[in-house]
Amino acid sequence: MTPARWPHRLLSLVVFLGAVSTFSQAQSSTPEPLPIMPLPASVTPGQGEFIVDGQFRMAFDGFTEPRLFRARERFLATLFSETGIPFVREVALGTSVEGTASDGAAHFQIHTAGPSAVIQQLGEDESYRLAISPDGVRLTAANPLGVMHGMQTFLQLVRITPHGFTVPALTIDDKPRFPWRGLMIDSGRHFTSIPVIERNLDAMEAVKMNVFHWHLSEDQGVRVESKVFPLLQQKGSDGLYYTQEQIRHVIEYARDRGIRVVPEFDMPAHATAWFVGYPQLASGKGPYQIERKWGIFDPAMDPTRESTYQFLNLFIGEMAGLFPDAYFHIGGDECNGKEWDANPQIQEFKRTHNLKDNAALQAWFSGRVQKIVVSHHKIAEGWDEVLQPDTPKNVVIQSWRGRDSLLDAAKRGYRGLLSHGYYIDLNQPAEEHYLVDPLEGIADKLTPEQTASILGGEATMWAEYVNDENIDSRIWPRTAAIAERFWSPQQVRDVDSMYSRLAVISEKLKSYGIENEAASERMLERMSGDPNPEALRVLASVVAPPRGYAREELREYTSFTPLNRLVDAIPPESNAARVFRDICKRIVAGNATSQDWQTAHDWLVLWRDNDAKLEPLLAKSDITEELIPVSQSLRYVAEIGLHALDSLHSGQASTMEAQKQDLATLTNAEKPQAVLLLMVAPSVELLVKSVKVQ
Amino acid sequence: MTPARWPHRLLSLVVFLGAVSTFSQAQSSTPEPLPIMPLPASVTPGQGEFIVDGQFRMAFDGFTEPRLFRARERFLATLFSETGIPFVREVALGTSVEGTASDGAAHFQIHTAGPSAVIQQLGEDESYRLAISPDGVRLTAANPLGVMHGMQTFLQLVRITPHGFTVPALTIDDKPRFPWRGLMIDSGRHFTSIPVIERNLDAMEAVKMNVFHWHLSEDQGVRVESKVFPLLQQKGSDGLYYTQEQIRHVIEYARDRGIRVVPEFDMPAHATAWFVGYPQLASGKGPYQIERKWGIFDPAMDPTRESTYQFLNLFIGEMAGLFPDAYFHIGGDECNGKEWDANPQIQEFKRTHNLKDNAALQAWFSGRVQKIVVSHHKIAEGWDEVLQPDTPKNVVIQSWRGRDSLLDAAKRGYRGLLSHGYYIDLNQPAEEHYLVDPLEGIADKLTPEQTASILGGEATMWAEYVNDENIDSRIWPRTAAIAERFWSPQQVRDVDSMYSRLAVISEKLKSYGIENEAASERMLERMSGDPNPEALRVLASVVAPPRGYAREELREYTSFTPLNRLVDAIPPESNAARVFRDICKRIVAGNATSQDWQTAHDWLVLWRDNDAKLEPLLAKSDITEELIPVSQSLRYVAEIGLHALDSLHSGQASTMEAQKQDLATLTNAEKPQAVLLLMVAPSVELLVKSVKVQ
């Protein structure tokens, strides 16, 4: 193997080829995983393949509706993007839908038994059957939701072969494991523009997610136009909000993709931006400004005044009319109670109402708000904190604090969703999210009915450190692994298979407009001022943002801080470091191949020699200057790694002193620098520690 | 220099660095070219630089209008894309424009003297002055058109430095050389979707082009919704047409960018698609089908029937209401007259009206149509062919056949535009288009008044072989060189400087959504099924599509033919081959540097060794199989080149026989294969021919 000059690309190749070899086996009679994510409930392999060419025609029978024809247009557009083949539409775009029903000559025949609900409901039938033979494709489903899922499965199967673009013959019977498979986007902290929302809905459709949870208000902004209380957006959004027309557009766009839109208006805390225009809602004296920092802040709604509930009744009424979904999220997290403690009238209220602490006061508030929500014909949903002794039984609990609270809720008869473990803002590897199961360690403690009350889960994209530019790389492709957790059978949990297929879906998502890789590349070019920042790419491929909440400890950030540095450009997970770690593990376990040894060597040489090329480039830009020590660290780590590799290969021993010194250097290299972690250092430590010491 | 593993990227680096070194000189006192395209009329360097940071504020004084505030939003979005810095808007988006006028604290102060015309006019003042000092920026212009041009100039100057993102201090006084600087897009042969039109208008704004000539009807499709004659789009477009609402949107979008929209409805020929719904318009018997092939076809409107003019009067009336521009293009090209010759009534009409030939008959038709156009308060425009003895003097002649016809038109008192030489569908290098000047060899034969009647020119993107996917790579970046020809002073014609700056603008255009490189990369991945088709990129970097109209001789194409092969994915010009050719020229001229020798050697080695890596990949896909002999040719050519290089370096002679054999191999390699030309073969031929022969 020659030295890898482009490790991140090379790595995607390594991962991809692994995936492809798996899939070629899949074409034999053994039911190996197909390049589909999420994996279907059941696959029966067939013989041969179906060829996608310019003759390809689709037709519907059974129930039809305009949404299905739009789904076909979208399908054909994606299929064009996957093949470059122009497909003939049976019918003029945007005109009547006549002539679109059954057509004997069609190669892709779709049968829809009946309609789905006018307003998409939790728990609707989403199953489908996709039967592909060399002669044609037949997709059948109870309603358009299943049809749309089956179309996505088909699109994922398209590949180029010596016979053209083809799909393997097989029969898939598929349905979701959980009825609530969500992605939350926090448009409060950083505004998310409509095209970004749209392409993320497209990607959600691709991986069969069905709930877009839209976090629409925060200390940093109220993002929805209210006609009843216009000062919310006029004073609380910096002009960055969605008009009601845009909201309606997004809801329609989502419905077209089988996705429900659940709005969240966080209260009583995380609401500073409301108070800029309406200080009378707050528990403090004011005046209030839009919050520019990140964290937990004191401002909270005043739960003791009737005017608060009058306001909320009007506001929730307006929003309940805007958002058709049956569920309405009222937040409820992280109220620190400081404004309440500082307000004598609120203290007095607690005493007169026998509310022993702020949790009880918040429960009192939540109870009132839940009644308002119900009065507007919605089901309330909230974060863990809303679960209190008197919480009405129909409130859905979204657990961000852990599975224990989910278990607790289910036992007490509440329906729940898991988000703990799916916090995609925390820069965890896909593997960790993937292995979190909403029912693991819970199911055997519950009755079947209680188990069924766990509806699924949601990946949560909190937006302190994401904006329009890098949000795709934070959500995708990792969220596809979470989507598989929510859709596929519980026993689907092979991590290697997941990573193989994740690499494929990451490529496919380009056809849906997702810019995870492209945006990263543009940002590297921009920060370096170099149209081909090769050495910077090498460094970028082996670093990752700090995990969890470490980032805010390392540097001060506000909503004005540019997110244009290396930490913002790189994906949350270093594929290079992951593959290198696996190689190092095999080396120290004594089961490495000669290819493993060669790859480890080549990469370490690449990393060692990179600093000399990179340093002059880094000095040219005030954004990259801070990377100089990181690049040096990589060199030191690689030098140590090469030495350890040689020792391991030759069986030569090291001295205690040398090992100690190396480990000290590595410990240092493992500390964050420039808000970055050097992800290959721990693997080199593994090598060093397994060298014999004299 | 190490072997270049990524030649096309490396080359863009080479070109880019050349550009950058030019610009660093520009910061000294000598007025070297800045990285701006088109180059301004006058630049006075200043001292120091202006820093763009989060404090950056813009304000207007003088005349203001909503279009200016939208231009600022666009400016700030592009500046964000260039820097990653979030800029604070003074005013809420989408709300009132209060508070946007003069603001003492602004760093970028814009003074607009007055409005521009409500409907943008030919020849309006487009000048501006941009004065940049370390303390601030002042942009002044007569009207919003100049302001928008000045904003684009500023955006092109932004670069990263050790002090952050900065712009050099300088003063620019700028104005265009020609008032008509157009890009024509043929949406007739392949439909162009609205987002593609939008991003191309964005790019036109970036290079200060001001006319979007929209070719809207062809044998293959009528692309505009007519409410008066709905069968035009219902039967003549395959459902691929623009609604009137979309047309109005594009016109507004263009006006916002200082761009006029001139529609073209080609007649009497290139109109088969009209006749599918309205066969009575045609000169033949019908019935007619949408044409699927490319070329010149027989169907033509019947110029002898009054009903034709009644139809055209209603249609042109409807379109004249839809398109506000003063100019209205009626095509007029390539009528072969065969349907006329075959129709006895038309023959009879010619006799009774004393029309001696079909040219005279077409002139008769054009005269009638021109009157209709005038009756709807528009000025007619047409291709060369409409210039006949009786053509009214206010018709504008667009010359596609050559400068002679432009000269002829000007002498006879007509206003004219040059498109001959700017046919960007013909796969010529940017240099050739760049060096075509509308006035070269013409100006001295004309009076100043006649010279002024030459309004400018238009790049023409005919669409036989382009679709939404590859159109960006055919238009950009080459059209930026043409835009410079139309805008900059006549003496600006240094080809090296042009290529340097073209590389920079090509990078900048990514911020405007232009996908020339990204689309090409995606297409290579798709045709190979490989997420990192490294060896295919090497081959792609040294081939080009055949020039001129050769492509249609090499393979049969219809509008259903997928444009998903290598010829469709690559840019029209091989940068690698161009740079290699320049190196080879220096080598044979005896003025090559040692770096030149090394680069030539390394590239030839890369090309020679590429085939072994590429061949297994090519065999896996039915789209790339045909490239196997092309890749082999590259290997043979590189082997010959290496041998010749060695001989030239050592002064060793070759034998007549060996040279003859090599030249025969090269001649063979220069023939098109898989509809591709191997662009490095002629340069190797140059090397071989300059080796001494014994």
Side-chain angles (χ1 to χ4, degrees):
Chain A
M1 192 164 185
T2 55
R5 296 174 63 90
W6 293 75
H8 70 297
R9 284 185 172 260
L10 189 71
L11 275 161
S12 66
L13 179 65
V14 169
V15 172
F16 191 87
L17 290 181
V20 167
S21 73
T22 312
F23 313 144
S24 16
Q25 291 165 25
Q27 290 163 58
S28 73
S29 57
T30 54
E32 290 284 333
L34 290 156
I36 305 175
M37 188 166 250
L39 277 179
S42 151
V43 181
T44 310
Q47 288 297 322
E49 54 192 2
F50 173 79
I51 296 174
V52 178
D53 60 20
Q55 304 307 311
F56 184 83
R57 296 287 182 284
M58 297 176 86
F60 292 97
D61 58 54
F63 171 78
T64 59
E65 61 173 354
R67 176 167 65 158
L68 280 172
F69 304 129
R70 291 194 295 270
R72 175 171 64 182
E73 280 306 312
R74 218 158 56 241
F75 175 93
L76 290 173
T78 306
L79 198 59
F80 171 76
S81 173
E82 290 186 339
T83 63
I85 299 169
F87 300 105
V88 177
R89 271 74 165 163
E90 272 91 331
V91 65
L93 297 176
T95 60
S96 98
V97 294
E98 283 178 85
T100 53
S102 184
D103 170 348
H107 307 92
F108 194 127
Q109 185 72 34
I110 297 170
H111 177 78
T112 315
S116 67
V118 174
I119 294 164
Q120 192 174 328
Q121 301 295 309
L122 174 67
E124 285 191 78
D125 190 339
E126 297 182 81
S127 68
Y128 67 92
R129 162 177 271 227
L130 179 67
I132 301 169
S133 77
D135 300 328
V137 180
R138 185 155 178 90
L139 171 60
T140 48
N143 63 45
L145 301 175
V147 169
M148 292 191 283
H149 293 318
M151 285 178 169
Q152 294 303 318
T153 300
F154 182 91
L155 290 170
Q156 290 193 19
L157 289 166
V158 177
R159 71 268 161 102
I160 182 73
T161 73
H163 322 112
F165 290 98
T166 73
V167 176
L170 48 70
T171 300
I172 287 175
D173 279 293
D174 201 8
K175 63 176 183 189
R177 180 173 166 220
F178 291 107
W180 190 304
R181 306 178 306 277
L183 169 64
M184 188 211 79
I185 292 180
D186 167 12
S187 299
R189 289 181 174 82
H190 274 103
F191 182 71
T192 325
S193 69
I194 295 288
V196 176
I197 297 288
E198 286 176 352
R199 70 186 186 226
N200 277 283
L201 289 167
D202 291 341
M204 286 175 69
E205 181 187 23
V207 298
K208 304 183 173 65
M209 296 184 101
N210 67 355
V211 180
F212 171 42
H213 169 174
W214 207 353
H215 186 82
L216 284 163
S217 67
E218 258 305 334
D219 295 308
Q220 292 81 9
V222 179
R223 304 302 183 192
V224 172
E225 174 193 25
S226 170
K227 294 181 194 290
V228 181
F229 299 109
L231 295 185
L232 284 174
Q233 72 271 14
Q234 283 170 19
K235 296 205 168 177
S237 78
D238 298 308
L240 296 169
Y241 65 90
Y242 309 103
T243 64
Q244 295 201 354
E245 191 186 339
Q246 287 175 318
I247 297 275
R248 277 188 289 267
H249 163 76
V250 167
I251 291 165
E252 264 185 57
Y253 194 96
R255 181 177 190 278
D256 255 14
R257 285 151 183 80
I259 298 168
R260 297 163 42 211
V261 179
V262 176
E264 176 184 352
F265 297 96
D266 209 346
M267 56 184 90
H270 283 295
T272 308
W274 302 53
F275 309 148
V276 185
Y278 300 96
Q280 63 273 27
L281 272 178
S283 307
K285 289 201 189 83
Y288 292 89
Q289 298 299 321
I290 293 176
E291 183 55 58
R292 305 300 182 184
K293 294 186 180 157
W294 310 130
I296 297 175
F297 300 98
D298 301 344
M301 291 177 187
D302 187 336
T304 69
R305 271 186 279 176
E306 277 310 303
S307 58
T308 301
Y309 302 105
Q310 286 159 6
F311 183 102
L312 290 176
N313 183 43
L314 286 168
F315 179 75
I316 292 173
E318 183 185 17
M319 293 302 133
L322 185 58
F323 291 91
D325 198 79
Y327 292 79
F328 195 96
H329 203 303
I330 53 171
D333 56 321
E334 298 184 326
C335 180
N336 70 12
K338 288 191 187 167
E339 270 199 355
W340 292 347
D341 293 339
N343 182 326
Q345 285 165 300
I346 293 177
Q347 292 307 312
E348 175 59 24
F349 183 90
K350 277 164 73 177
R351 277 189 294 277
T352 56
H353 287 73
N354 251 334
L355 298 164
K356 68 175 170 23
D357 56 16
N358 284 339
L361 179 59
Q362 188 177 338
W364 200 89
F365 171 82
S366 295
R368 291 289 303 265
V369 175
Q370 285 150 14
K371 282 199 187 71
I372 293 171
V373 169
V374 169
S375 77
H376 293 291
H377 313 294
K378 299 287 182 186
I379 301 165
E381 193 191 344
W383 300 102
D384 291 313
E385 288 93 327
V386 302
L387 183 59
Q388 296 293 336
D390 298 332
T391 304
K393 290 294 176 194
N394 69 342
V395 172
V396 176
I397 308 302
Q398 181 165 15
S399 171
W400 69 280
R401 293 195 293 201
R403 265 175 300 195
D404 286 349
S405 57
L406 193 64
L407 175 63
D408 179 38
K411 277 190 177 163
R412 289 171 52 194
Y414 293 93
R415 291 179 303 162
L417 290 174
L418 187 63
S419 274
H420 178 84
Y422 306 126
Y423 265 43
I424 52 177
D425 60 319
L426 299 186
N427 302 311
Q428 292 172 252
E431 171 179 358
E432 294 184 15
H433 297 307
Y434 185 62
L435 293 178
V436 173
D437 191 297
L439 297 185
E440 198 184 342
I442 283 190
D444 52 353
K445 296 170 186 150
L446 298 177
T447 66
E449 197 185 36
Q450 286 168 340
T451 302
S453 75
I454 294 174
L455 304 171
E458 283 186 1
T460 49
M461 182 71 268
W462 299 106
E464 282 89 343
Y465 305 112
V466 299
N467 59 18
D468 277 2
E469 230 176 22
N470 67 353
I471 191 169
D472 286 7
S473 76
R474 302 301 156 125
I475 299 180
W476 307 103
R478 291 181 307 154
T479 294
I482 299 174
E484 176 157 293
R485 175 61 45 237
F486 298 154
W487 177 280
S488 303
Q490 186 167 14
Q491 67 272 21
V492 173
R493 47 192 295 126
D494 182 301
V495 169
D496 289 341
S497 162
M498 180 276 284
Y499 273 119
S500 294
R501 290 176 295 109
L502 199 64
V504 179
I505 193 80
S506 189
E507 284 293 312
K508 288 272 180 185
L509 286 175
K510 290 180 185 171
S511 292
Y512 294 79
I514 293 297
E515 301 205 339
N516 51 334
E517 282 180 28
S520 176
E521 171 64 21
R522 274 201 307 273
M523 291 171 79
L524 295 188
E525 291 174 13
R526 182 175 67 197
M527 73 182 73
S528 61
D530 185 332
N532 184 26
E534 185 178 333
L536 183 56
R537 280 190 209 110
V538 171
L539 182 64
S541 72
V542 295
V543 292
R547 289 178 53 141
Y549 298 101
R551 187 164 172 179
E552 58 205 53
E553 309 296 323
L554 296 169
R555 186 168 288 177
E556 196 175 316
Y557 283 92
T558 73
S559 54
F560 296 135
T561 308
L563 299 176
N564 60 3
R565 292 178 181 261
L566 190 57
V567 64
D568 306 301
I570 53 175
E573 178 174 10
S574 161
N575 274 326
R578 177 173 55 79
V579 175
F580 182 69
R581 183 199 62 200
D582 291 346
I583 291 172
C584 290
K585 279 187 180 168
R586 287 194 293 273
I587 287 173
V588 304
N591 55 17
T593 63
S594 61
Q595 175 74 66
D596 284 338
W597 285 94
Q598 186 64 48
T599 303
H601 176 83
D602 291 342
W603 286 357
L604 287 165
V605 167
L606 172 76
W607 297 334
R608 178 195 66 194
D609 297 345
N610 195 59
D611 185 45
K613 295 173 206 156
L614 183 53
E615 207 189 305
L617 184 69
L618 297 179
K620 283 187 188 169
S621 150
D622 83 328
I623 294 181
T624 57
E625 267 169 357
E626 63 173 355
L627 302 174
I628 291 173
V630 185
S631 176
Q632 282 168 349
S633 274
L634 179 60
R635 172 158 61 92
Y636 302 146
V637 167
E639 280 166 354
I640 292 170
L642 276 170
H643 193 75
L645 201 68
D646 282 352
S647 303
L648 287 169
H649 201 252
S650 63
Q652 230 181 337
S654 177
T655 66
M656 189 70 86
E657 186 50 37
Q659 195 199 49
K660 203 179 142 191
Q661 209 173 343
D662 284 350
L663 290 175
T665 303
L666 290 170
T667 304
N668 218 32
E670 286 167 26
K671 290 179 190 153
Q673 295 181 87
V675 201
L676 289 166
L677 290 176
L678 195 51
M679 299 304 286
V680 294
S683 302
V684 168
E685 194 180 318
L686 203 65
L687 296 179
V688 169
K689 282 184 175 164
S690 68
V691 171
K692 272 183 298 185
V693 176
Q694 275 175 330
Chain B
M1 190 164 184
T2 55
R5 297 173 62 91
W6 293 73
H8 69 295
R9 286 187 172 257
L10 187 73
L11 275 160
S12 66
L13 179 66
V14 168
V15 171
F16 192 87
L17 290 182
V20 167
S21 73
T22 312
F23 314 143
S24 19
Q25 292 166 25
Q27 289 163 57
S28 73
S29 57
T30 52
E32 290 284 334
L34 291 156
I36 305 175
M37 188 164 248
L39 277 178
S42 153
V43 180
T44 311
Q47 289 295 324
E49 54 192 0
F50 172 79
I51 296 175
V52 178
D53 60 20
Q55 306 307 311
F56 185 84
R57 297 287 182 282
M58 298 177 84
F60 292 97
D61 59 53
F63 171 78
T64 59
E65 61 172 355
R67 178 168 62 159
L68 280 172
F69 303 129
R70 290 193 296 270
R72 176 171 63 182
E73 281 306 313
R74 217 159 54 240
F75 175 93
L76 289 173
T78 305
L79 198 59
F80 170 76
S81 172
E82 290 187 338
T83 62
I85 299 169
F87 300 103
V88 177
R89 270 73 167 167
E90 271 90 332
V91 67
L93 297 176
T95 60
S96 97
V97 295
E98 282 178 86
T100 54
S102 185
D103 170 349
H107 306 93
F108 193 127
Q109 186 72 36
I110 298 169
H111 177 77
T112 314
S116 67
V118 174
I119 294 163
Q120 192 175 328
Q121 301 295 308
L122 175 67
E124 285 192 78
D125 190 339
E126 297 180 80
S127 69
Y128 67 92
R129 163 176 272 227
L130 179 67
I132 301 169
S133 78
D135 300 328
V137 181
R138 186 156 176 87
L139 171 61
T140 47
N143 62 45
L145 301 175
V147 168
M148 293 191 281
H149 293 318
M151 285 178 170
Q152 295 302 318
T153 300
F154 182 91
L155 290 170
Q156 290 193 20
L157 289 165
V158 177
R159 71 269 160 103
I160 183 72
T161 74
H163 322 114
F165 290 98
T166 73
V167 176
L170 48 72
T171 300
I172 287 175
D173 281 293
D174 201 9
K175 63 176 184 186
R177 180 174 168 220
F178 291 106
W180 189 305
R181 305 178 305 280
L183 169 64
M184 188 212 78
I185 293 181
D186 167 12
S187 299
R189 288 181 175 82
H190 274 102
F191 183 71
T192 324
S193 70
I194 295 289
V196 176
I197 296 288
E198 286 177 351
R199 70 187 187 226
N200 277 283
L201 288 167
D202 292 341
M204 285 175 69
E205 182 187 24
V207 298
K208 303 183 173 65
M209 296 184 102
N210 66 355
V211 180
F212 171 42
H213 168 175
W214 207 352
H215 186 81
L216 283 163
S217 67
E218 259 304 335
D219 294 308
Q220 293 80 12
V222 178
R223 303 303 183 190
V224 173
E225 175 193 25
S226 169
K227 296 183 194 288
V228 182
F229 299 109
L231 297 183
L232 283 174
Q233 71 271 13
Q234 283 170 21
K235 297 205 168 176
S237 78
D238 298 308
L240 297 169
Y241 64 91
Y242 309 104
T243 64
Q244 295 201 354
E245 191 186 339
Q246 287 175 317
I247 297 275
R248 278 188 288 267
H249 163 76
V250 167
I251 291 165
E252 265 186 54
Y253 193 96
R255 182 179 188 276
D256 256 13
R257 286 150 184 80
I259 298 168
R260 298 164 41 212
V261 179
V262 177
E264 177 185 352
F265 297 96
D266 209 346
M267 56 185 89
H270 283 294
T272 307
W274 303 51
F275 309 148
V276 186
Y278 298 97
Q280 64 273 28
L281 272 178
S283 307
K285 289 200 190 84
Y288 292 88
Q289 298 298 323
I290 293 176
E291 183 57 57
R292 305 300 180 183
K293 294 187 179 155
W294 309 130
I296 298 174
F297 301 98
D298 302 343
M301 292 178 186
D302 186 337
T304 69
R305 272 186 277 175
E306 277 310 303
S307 58
T308 300
Y309 303 106
Q310 285 160 6
F311 182 103
L312 290 175
N313 182 44
L314 287 168
F315 178 76
I316 291 173
E318 183 185 17
M319 293 301 132
L322 184 60
F323 292 90
D325 199 79
Y327 292 79
F328 194 96
H329 203 302
I330 53 170
D333 56 321
E334 298 184 326
C335 180
N336 70 12
K338 286 190 189 169
E339 269 199 354
W340 293 349
D341 292 340
N343 182 325
Q345 284 163 305
I346 294 177
Q347 291 308 310
E348 175 60 27
F349 183 90
K350 277 164 72 177
R351 276 187 295 275
T352 56
H353 287 72
N354 251 336
L355 299 164
K356 68 175 167 26
D357 55 17
N358 285 337
L361 179 58
Q362 188 177 340
W364 199 89
F365 170 82
S366 295
R368 290 288 303 266
V369 176
Q370 284 150 15
K371 282 197 187 74
I372 293 171
V373 169
V374 169
S375 77
H376 293 291
H377 314 293
K378 300 287 183 185
I379 301 166
E381 192 191 344
W383 300 102
D384 291 313
E385 288 94 327
V386 302
L387 182 61
Q388 296 294 335
D390 297 332
T391 304
K393 290 295 176 191
N394 69 343
V395 173
V396 175
I397 307 302
Q398 181 165 16
S399 171
W400 68 279
R401 294 194 292 201
R403 267 177 297 197
D404 284 350
S405 57
L406 193 65
L407 175 62
D408 179 38
K411 277 190 175 164
R412 290 170 53 193
Y414 293 92
R415 292 179 303 161
L417 291 174
L418 188 63
S419 274
H420 178 83
Y422 306 125
Y423 264 43
I424 51 178
D425 60 318
L426 300 186
N427 302 310
Q428 293 172 250
E431 170 178 0
E432 294 184 15
H433 297 307
Y434 185 63
L435 293 178
V436 173
D437 191 295
L439 297 184
E440 197 185 341
I442 283 188
D444 53 353
K445 296 171 186 148
L446 298 176
T447 66
E449 196 185 38
Q450 286 168 339
T451 303
S453 74
I454 293 173
L455 305 171
E458 283 186 2
T460 48
M461 182 72 266
W462 299 106
E464 282 89 343
Y465 305 112
V466 299
N467 59 17
D468 277 1
E469 225 174 27
N470 68 352
I471 191 168
D472 286 6
S473 76
R474 301 302 157 122
I475 300 180
W476 307 104
R478 291 180 308 156
T479 294
I482 299 173
E484 175 157 293
R485 175 61 45 238
F486 297 154
W487 178 281
S488 303
Q490 186 166 14
Q491 68 272 21
V492 173
R493 46 191 295 125
D494 182 303
V495 169
D496 289 341
S497 162
M498 179 277 285
Y499 272 118
S500 295
R501 289 177 294 109
L502 199 64
V504 179
I505 192 79
S506 188
E507 285 294 313
K508 289 270 179 187
L509 286 176
K510 290 181 188 172
S511 292
Y512 295 79
I514 292 297
E515 302 206 338
N516 51 334
E517 281 179 29
S520 176
E521 172 63 21
R522 273 201 308 274
M523 291 171 79
L524 295 188
E525 290 173 14
R526 182 175 69 197
M527 73 182 72
S528 62
D530 185 331
N532 184 25
E534 185 179 333
L536 183 56
R537 282 191 207 109
V538 172
L539 181 64
S541 72
V542 295
V543 292
R547 289 179 53 142
Y549 298 100
R551 188 165 171 179
E552 58 205 55
E553 309 295 324
L554 296 169
R555 185 169 288 179
E556 196 175 317
Y557 283 94
T558 74
S559 53
F560 296 135
T561 309
L563 299 176
N564 60 4
R565 293 177 180 261
L566 189 56
V567 64
D568 306 301
I570 53 175
E573 178 174 10
S574 161
N575 275 325
R578 177 173 55 80
V579 175
F580 182 69
R581 183 199 62 200
D582 291 347
I583 290 172
C584 291
K585 279 187 181 168
R586 289 195 291 274
I587 286 172
V588 304
N591 55 17
T593 64
S594 62
Q595 176 75 66
D596 283 338
W597 286 93
Q598 187 65 49
T599 303
H601 176 83
D602 291 344
W603 287 357
L604 287 165
V605 167
L606 172 76
W607 298 334
R608 179 194 64 193
D609 298 344
N610 194 59
D611 184 46
K613 296 174 206 156
L614 184 53
E615 206 188 308
L617 185 69
L618 297 179
K620 283 186 188 168
S621 148
D622 83 329
I623 295 181
T624 57
E625 267 169 357
E626 63 173 354
L627 302 174
I628 291 173
V630 184
S631 176
Q632 282 169 349
S633 274
L634 178 61
R635 170 157 62 91
Y636 302 146
V637 166
E639 281 166 355
I640 293 170
L642 277 169
H643 191 75
L645 202 68
D646 281 352
S647 303
L648 288 169
H649 200 253
S650 63
Q652 229 183 336
S654 176
T655 66
M656 187 70 86
E657 186 51 34
Q659 195 198 48
K660 202 177 142 191
Q661 210 173 343
D662 284 351
L663 290 175
T665 304
L666 291 169
T667 303
N668 217 33
E670 287 168 26
K671 290 180 191 152
Q673 295 179 89
V675 199
L676 289 166
L677 290 177
L678 194 51
M679 300 303 287
V680 294
S683 301
V684 168
E685 192 180 319
L686 204 66
L687 295 180
V688 169
K689 283 183 175 164
S690 69
V691 171
K692 273 183 300 187
V693 176
Q694 276 177 330

